[in-house]
């Protein structure tokens, strides 16, 4: 039973356009959500996060939106750049989880020049 | 300013052998986490350690797997009597404070069991 789901294994976007990566979760106890980016042969690197008390967090070209009623979050990248091509993982944690992040399976983003 | 260092990057073992994976956290970080990624899957939490203590091992298989983070030296994930199903990428992460969600990951060790 997957608690964090990324239903799109891949996404292809033209450079300069917006990339939207989606993530759904089932556990209502999750109160903190993160996005990690992973290049081949490297470990995941933290990108952006959001607490459940917020519905939006923005950092430069990256914005994460949280819809608690729908148990859905999304990552928007605008404008998309070829260097953004990577696998993006959505992750969630519940209060007091002590570093136990629940990851989705990832979405591979390809940004074409 | 080294990040999390894992070695080896690739490890090949035959069934029944032991695998030892090492992780040196970011300098100053005393909290270490091990995650495993099976092919086409997301990362799965295994264990959380602080210096000399196992804080949460709820994701560790009950048999053959063990982890330690001694006072001196790297954290070690040990897999005894490996089986083909242990083949995966094993990632170590560290954080500066307890139970931080924002983790710093190493590049991983790819374990292949023949």
């Amino acid at each position: 039973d997957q608690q964090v789901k990324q239903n799109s294994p891949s996404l292809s976007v033209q450079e300069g356009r917006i990339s939207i990566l989606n993530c759904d979760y089932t556990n209502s106890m999750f109160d903190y959500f993160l996005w990690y980016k992973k290049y081949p042969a490297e470990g995941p690197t933290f990108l952006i996060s959001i607490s459940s008390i917020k519905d939006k967090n923005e950092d430069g070209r990256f914005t994460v939106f949280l819809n608690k009623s729908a148990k859905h979050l999304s990552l928007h990248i605008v404008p998309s750049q070829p260097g953004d091509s990577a696998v993006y993982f959505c992750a969630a944690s519940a209060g007091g989880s002590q570093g136990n992040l629940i990851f989705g399976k990832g979405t591979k983003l390809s940004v074409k020049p | 300013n080294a990040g999390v260092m894992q070695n080896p990057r690739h490890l090949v073992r035959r069934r029944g052998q032991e695998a030892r994976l090492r992780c040196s956290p970011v300098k100053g970080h005393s909290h270490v986490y091990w995650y495993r990624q099976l092919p086409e899957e997301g990362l799965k939490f295994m264990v959380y350690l602080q210096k000399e203590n196992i804080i949460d091992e709820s994701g560790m298989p009950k048999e053959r797997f063990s982890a330690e983070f001694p006072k001196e030296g790297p954290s070690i994930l040990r897999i005894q009597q490996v089986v083909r199903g242990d083949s995966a990428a094993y990632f170590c992460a560290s954080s500066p404070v307890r139970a931080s969600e924002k983790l710093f990951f190493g590049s991983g060790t790819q374990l292949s069991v023949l």
Side-chain angles (χ1 to χ4, degrees):
Chain A
D1 60 334
Q2 269 191 282
Q3 297 185 68
V4 176
K5 298 178 185 178
Q6 293 178 257
N7 292 319
S8 298
S10 63
L11 175 68
S12 183
V13 171
Q14 205 68 33
E15 181 180 4
R17 298 289 187 101
I18 185 171
S19 296
I20 300 177
L21 296 97
N22 294 303
C23 178
D24 298 292
Y25 62 96
T26 57
N27 189 340
S28 56
M29 297 300 291
F30 288 149
D31 59 2
Y32 196 68
F33 304 89
L34 309 92
W35 285 93
Y36 278 83
K37 179 166 85 170
K38 185 182 181 302
Y39 293 116
E42 294 184 13
T45 55
F46 170 78
L47 192 57
I48 192 168
S49 62
I50 187 167
S51 164
S52 61
I53 62 173
K54 294 185 174 181
D55 54 19
K56 176 183 175 182
N57 188 25
E58 191 172 352
D59 183 1
R61 296 185 298 114
F62 304 90
T63 303
V64 57
F65 296 92
L66 175 62
N67 182 335
K68 281 185 295 183
S69 61
K71 293 193 176 68
H72 176 83
L73 64 156
S74 61
L75 174 68
H76 293 211
I77 307 173
V78 56
S80 301
Q81 299 173 354
D84 296 329
S85 297
V87 177
Y88 288 78
F89 289 100
C90 172
S93 70
S97 64
Q98 304 198 105
N100 182 347
L101 296 179
I102 309 298
F103 280 84
K105 291 187 177 184
T107 296
K108 184 175 182 179
L109 173 65
S110 299
V111 180
K112 301 187 184 308
Chain B
N1 60 346
V4 176
M5 303 298 291
Q6 289 188 250
N7 67 82
R9 288 297 303 272
H10 301 275
L11 182 60
V12 179
R13 285 288 177 265
R14 295 190 181 281
R15 279 180 297 170
Q17 291 184 318
E18 179 179 287
R20 278 181 178 245
L21 289 64
R22 293 175 187 78
C23 168
S24 295
V26 173
K27 188 175 181 181
H29 288 191
S30 58
H31 304 266
V32 164
Y33 314 80
W34 286 92
Y35 281 76
R36 176 166 68 173
Q37 184 183 22
L38 295 169
E40 309 301 322
E41 296 287 325
L43 283 75
K44 297 256 188 310
F45 170 81
M46 299 181 75
V47 62
Y48 163 34
L49 310 103
Q50 198 183 356
K51 282 289 187 181
E52 300 184 274
N53 292 305
I54 296 175
I55 307 300
D56 179 357
E57 56 181 347
S58 58
M60 287 277 271
K62 297 289 182 245
E63 297 177 350
R64 303 187 298 109
F65 285 72
S66 62
E68 62 177 9
F69 188 18
K71 189 175 180 181
E72 301 290 337
S75 175
I76 306 288
L77 179 67
R78 182 183 178 204
I79 312 172
Q80 295 178 289
Q81 299 175 319
V82 295
V83 300
R84 288 220 174 103
D86 296 333
S87 296
Y90 290 82
F91 291 97
C92 172
S94 72
S95 67
V97 296
R98 178 184 177 88
S100 169
E101 285 85 5
K102 195 181 300 182
L103 306 179
F104 296 81
F105 281 88
S107 296
T109 293
Q110 181 65 50
L111 173 64
S112 298
V113 179
L114 304 179

